[in-house]
């Protein structure tokens, strides 16, 4: 018996037919999150509210580890973690972004670059969501050019003093801790665990978003923010160390794009099976069947991409440009599927109650964060040609 939880028309090629019982259990646990999320998420999204009760539920379901080894929490394979992130995002991309920020970025920074004491102190609490975490890399003047950090960290006795600004930081104003990346006096990049109630740390929630409205992102200002020397991540010595964290999260965005795309396709398919126009079901129209077939082709290419990068991640052979290719391909495909699905529902496609409009808007952010379409293309282009189009 197959452990694949996708409908056979969704996973047309049976890409996930052979998954293990362990991966299927994680996937099923993530799917159960829909019962908590779907009845309320449109209201939160419309009001731009951050539903922390849903975040805590993710912790209760033990879905906040993203494949990291956290004592007291169930381990996941790379594929199991991807399927879980895909399924959470299938319910809602803001909640998928919570997992990507909390586990994929903040927890992964501490797990990969932190000391044993830091891992023991922070990771279990973050995995249970009793402690929220943020990842402070992007700056107001440096989005894609993230290596050009202007935030500074100066050693002063038993402390580090941080000055600068960060922008678009998920969980950055929600209480908890923020992993801040800053330029040290020797010119290298350091990582620092900063409590959000530390003196000199101030953050405001960014208003007016048209995407990912059910998670708060912050504009952070650091003014002589002093933290203990022990809060520095000892494994972060250069920007290359930060890049290792980002490579893993780009894979996560590939899975997230798949989740939103599946939600859009399945909603559109169900709609045309029931909607009657000109005396017959829309599903009997040739153009509708062709569009559904095109969507399934994109979906299965996305699935194959996710399966391959997960296998390479498990084997330790995945390269950063391959992660870029996966993110680039899947967010582009998700955009196509969402656009077609929205159009196939006609006027009701813009209503939140049908979910597609929310995914349609959220995919736009997904397409941009963790490296824009252009940046991912240039990373691939450098490998293809041997020439760098950026410095």
């Amino acid at each position: 018996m197959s452990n694949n939880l996708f409908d056979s028309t969704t996973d047309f090629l049976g890409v996930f037919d052979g998954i293990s019982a362990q991966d299927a259990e994680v996937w099923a646990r993530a799917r159960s999150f829909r019962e908590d999320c779907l009845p309320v998420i449109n209201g939160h999204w419309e009001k731009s509210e951050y539903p922390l009760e849903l975040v805590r539920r993710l912790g209760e379901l033990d879905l906040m580890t993203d494949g990291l080894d956290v004592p007291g929490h169930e381990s996941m394979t790379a594929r199991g973690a991807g399927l879980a992130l895909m399924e959470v995002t299938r319910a809602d991309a803001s909640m998928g972004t919570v997992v990507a920020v909390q586990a994929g970025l903040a927890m992964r920074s501490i797990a990969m670059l932190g000391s044993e004491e830091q891992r023991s102190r922070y990771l279990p609490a973050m995995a249970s969501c009793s402690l929220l975490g943020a990842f402070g890399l992007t700056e107001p003047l440096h989005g894609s050019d993230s290596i050009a950090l202007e935030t500074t960290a100066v050693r002063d006795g038993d402390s580090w003093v941080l000055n600068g600004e960060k922008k678009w930081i998920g969980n950055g104003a929600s209480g908890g801790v923020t992993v801040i990346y800053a330029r040290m006096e020797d010119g290298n990049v350091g990582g620092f665990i900063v409590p959000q109630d530390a003196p000199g740390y101030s953050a405001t929630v960014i208003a007016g978003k048209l995407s990912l409205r059910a998670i708060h992102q912050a504009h952070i200002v650091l003014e002589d923010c002093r933290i203990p020397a022990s809060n520095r991540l000892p494994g972060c010595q250069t920007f290359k160390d930060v890049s290792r964290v980002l490579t893993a999260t780009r894979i996560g965005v590939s899975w997230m794009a798949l989740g939103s795309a599946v939600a859009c396709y399945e909603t559109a398919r169900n709609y045309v099976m029931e909607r009657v126009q000109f005396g017959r079901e829309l599903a009997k129209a040739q153009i509708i069947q062709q569009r559904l077939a095109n969507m399934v082709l994109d979906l299965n290419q996305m699935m194959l991409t996710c399966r391959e990068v997960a296998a390479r991640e498990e084997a330790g052979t995945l390269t950063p440009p391959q992660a870029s290719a996966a993110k680039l391909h899947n967010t582009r495909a998700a955009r196509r599927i969402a656009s077609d699905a929205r159009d196939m529902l006609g006027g009701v496609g813009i209503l939140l109650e049908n979910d597609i409009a929310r995914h349609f808007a959220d995919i736009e952010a997904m397409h941009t964060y963790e490296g824009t379409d252009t940046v991912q293309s240039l990373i691939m282009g450098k490998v293809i040609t041997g020439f760098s189009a950026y410095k």
Side-chain angles (χ1 to χ4, degrees):
M1 180 177 177
S2 173
N3 289 319
N4 194 336
L5 298 186
F6 277 135
D7 180 275
S8 61
T9 73
T10 303
D11 187 356
F12 201 85
L13 298 177
V15 175
F16 294 120
D17 281 353
I19 67 169
S20 68
Q22 177 190 5
D23 289 347
E25 190 279 328
V26 172
W27 187 357
R29 191 154 21 97
R31 178 164 292 195
S32 73
F33 177 69
R34 295 165 60 85
E35 299 171 9
D36 302 284
C37 183
L38 288 180
V40 300
I41 195 61
N42 281 329
H44 290 299
W45 195 96
E46 186 173 20
K47 297 174 185 175
S48 195
E49 296 173 343
Y50 189 13
L52 291 177
E53 68 277 8
L54 290 180
V55 177
R56 288 189 288 270
R57 182 59 180 154
L58 290 169
E60 292 170 359
L61 290 169
D62 206 7
L63 297 173
M64 197 62 80
T65 60
D66 198 33
L68 299 172
D69 184 14
V70 181
H73 293 266
E74 185 176 337
S75 62
M76 301 179 188
T77 67
R79 181 164 59 181
L83 288 166
L85 181 55
M86 179 278 299
E87 195 63 53
V88 171
T89 309
R90 185 181 176 195
D92 178 63
S94 292
M95 293 298 102
T97 301
V98 173
V99 178
V101 168
Q102 175 96 351
L105 289 169
M107 290 175 62
R108 179 164 276 104
S109 292
I110 296 171
M112 293 178 65
L113 308 176
S115 66
E116 181 58 40
E117 189 278 331
Q118 290 168 341
R119 289 192 289 269
S120 299
R121 178 180 177 184
Y122 294 106
L123 293 183
M126 295 172 77
S128 67
C129 294
S130 60
L131 176 68
L132 293 181
F135 178 85
L137 176 63
T138 302
E139 298 182 347
L141 299 179
H142 304 290
S144 297
D145 187 17
S146 56
I147 197 171
L149 292 176
E150 292 187 31
T151 299
T152 61
V154 176
R155 183 67 182 263
D156 182 21
D158 292 333
S159 302
W160 285 92
V161 180
L162 279 62
N163 283 280
E165 296 183 43
K166 300 291 181 181
K167 194 171 183 180
W168 299 112
I169 310 304
N171 281 342
S174 303
V177 297
T178 303
V179 178
I180 294 287
Y181 290 97
R183 187 79 57 188
M184 299 182 293
E185 290 176 281
D186 63 2
N188 284 320
V189 174
F192 305 86
I193 302 173
V194 182
Q196 292 182 10
D197 59 0
Y201 181 105
S202 62
T204 55
V205 173
I206 296 171
K209 293 191 303 175
L210 295 179
S211 185
L212 298 179
R213 291 172 56 82
I215 178 177
H216 285 166
Q217 276 118 356
H219 185 163
I220 297 169
V221 177
L222 301 159
E223 293 182 305
D224 293 328
C225 182
R226 185 177 295 270
I227 59 170
S230 59
N231 283 29
R232 181 187 168 190
L233 299 176
C236 185
Q237 302 293 332
T238 70
F239 193 81
K240 289 182 179 180
D241 297 314
V242 187
S243 296
R244 292 194 290 124
V245 177
L246 295 175
T247 294
T249 55
R250 283 173 183 157
I251 301 168
V253 180
S254 303
W255 286 101
M256 292 178 67
L258 174 60
S260 282
V262 167
C264 291
Y265 159 74
E266 291 184 338
T267 300
R269 179 181 180 273
N270 292 339
Y271 179 82
V272 300
M273 294 292 286
E274 298 174 358
R275 178 69 167 171
V276 175
Q277 290 285 277
F278 305 107
R280 65 173 184 171
E281 295 87 349
L282 276 178
K284 293 181 179 178
Q286 291 180 356
I287 188 61
I288 292 294
Q289 293 192 12
Q290 182 184 44
R291 294 173 80 175
L292 289 172
N294 288 340
M295 294 162 80
V296 168
L297 288 173
D298 267 338
L299 277 179
N300 279 250
Q301 287 297 324
M302 295 169 76
M303 292 176 190
L304 288 165
T305 297
C306 285
R307 188 182 71 178
E308 179 63 23
V309 294
R312 288 181 175 273
E313 184 181 14
E314 287 276 357
T317 60
L318 184 73
T319 67
Q322 288 170 340
S324 292
K327 194 266 185 182
L328 178 65
H329 175 273
N330 280 17
T331 57
R332 282 184 179 179
R335 270 177 136 190
R336 290 194 294 268
I337 290 170
S339 179
D340 248 354
R342 210 286 318 148
D343 184 65
M344 287 166 67
L345 264 68
V348 300
I350 68 170
L351 296 177
L352 281 177
E353 66 187 49
N354 292 311
D355 295 325
I356 286 178
R358 172 165 47 85
H359 284 288
F360 183 94
D362 289 345
I363 288 168
E364 287 304 297
M366 215 179 292
H367 190 62
T368 298
Y369 65 27
E370 302 308 324
T372 64
D373 183 284
T374 300
V375 168
Q376 307 299 352
S377 299
L378 296 181
I379 289 171
M380 291 180 64
K382 182 178 178 180
V383 175
I384 294 167
T385 66
F387 297 107
S388 176
Y390 56 92
K391 295 181 180 179

